[in-house]
């Protein structure tokens, strides 16, 4: 308690400072960085430290302009899962996992796909992050895409988009889906999975 909590606080404060700096940078570059880094934060449970930023933005500006960018990480993950589903269609175990995680993935719940599919495959997790970055870059380039509340993500966030900017958000989602799909299809899947190798939940992450 006395060692871990202060250390975790230092990490949280450093991350918040970094994210504030990236937000101030603005534009497509800012969107790409935030969209690409959010999945690792979710994986480590660090995404909760962003709640005060969202709340402060909503109180001061009427919407959080950070959440729609971060939601693109889930779009990249969905795109990656679709690519895995297509390319590994003869692998029954992997297609079963992908089909089970995709419905909730479209609604912004990415943990099933992270822990059961892309992270164990290794490279697919990285290409999913890149897809999220591509979606985030589109949102950042469009600008002014905000959410009036926090919590939902993916398609479920569309009704909460501020000031009728939902079209910009949808364009970001599509870019994230396509980016995650293309990057994963060509660079994120080892041939052994295409040929039927199974994912072993007890094994280390596969970056071979």
């Amino acid at each position: 308690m006395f060692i871990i909590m202060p250390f975790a606080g230092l990490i949280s404060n450093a991350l918040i400072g970094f994210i504030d700096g990236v937000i101030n940078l603005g534009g497509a570059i800012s969107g790409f960085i935030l969209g690409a880094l959010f999945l690792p934060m979710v994986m480590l449970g660090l995404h909760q430290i962003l709640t005060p930023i969202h709340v402060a933005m909503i109180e001061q500006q009427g919407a959080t302009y950070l959440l729609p960018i971060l939601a693109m990480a889930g779009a990249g993950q969905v795109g990656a899962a679709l690519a895995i589903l297509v390319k590994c269609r003869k692998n029954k175990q992997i297609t079963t996992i992908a089909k089970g995680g995709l419905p909730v993935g479209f609604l912004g719940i990415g943990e099933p796909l992270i822990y059961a599919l892309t992270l164990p495959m290794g490279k697919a997790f990285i290409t999913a992050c890149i897809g999220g970055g591509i979606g985030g870059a589109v949102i950042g380039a469009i600008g002014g895409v905000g959410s009036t509340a926090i919590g939902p993500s993916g398609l479920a966030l569309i009704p909460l988009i501020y000031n009728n900017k939902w079209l910009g958000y949808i364009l970001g989602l599509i870019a994230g889906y396509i980016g995650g799909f293309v990057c994963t299809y060509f660079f994120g899947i080892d041939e052994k999975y295409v040929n039927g190798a199974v994912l072993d939940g007890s094994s280390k992450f596969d970056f071979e």
Side-chain angles (χ1 to χ4, degrees), residues 54-55 57-59 61-65 67-68 145-152 157-164:
H54 295 310
V55 173
M57 281 188 172
I58 292 172
E59 289 180 349
Q61 305 176 48
T64 167
Y65 297 95
L67 182 58
V145 180
S147 169
T148 57
I150 58 176
L157 187 60
I158 293 175
L160 299 176
I161 295 300
Y162 182 65
N163 203 22
N164 293 321

Side-chain angles (χ1 to χ4, degrees), residues 107-202:
L107 296 176
I109 302 171
E111 285 82 356
L113 290 175
I114 292 175
Y115 297 117
L117 189 64
T118 60
L119 193 58
M121 292 182 75
K123 289 186 288 188
F125 181 74
I126 295 175
T127 53
C129 291
I130 294 172
I134 293 171
V138 171
I139 295 289
I142 293 173
V145 180
S147 169
T148 57
I150 58 176
S153 185
L155 296 174
L157 187 60
I158 293 175
L160 299 176
I161 295 300
Y162 182 65
N163 203 22
N164 293 321
K165 288 282 187 113
W166 53 268
L167 182 58
Y169 179 73
I170 291 175
L171 289 175
L173 280 177
I174 294 172
Y177 294 153
I178 295 174
F181 183 94
V182 172
C183 291
T184 304
Y185 189 88
F186 290 105
F187 307 108
I189 304 171
D190 288 325
E191 283 299 318
K192 65 180 183 180
Y193 296 120
V194 178
N195 296 327
V198 299
L199 291 171
D200 182 358
S202 63

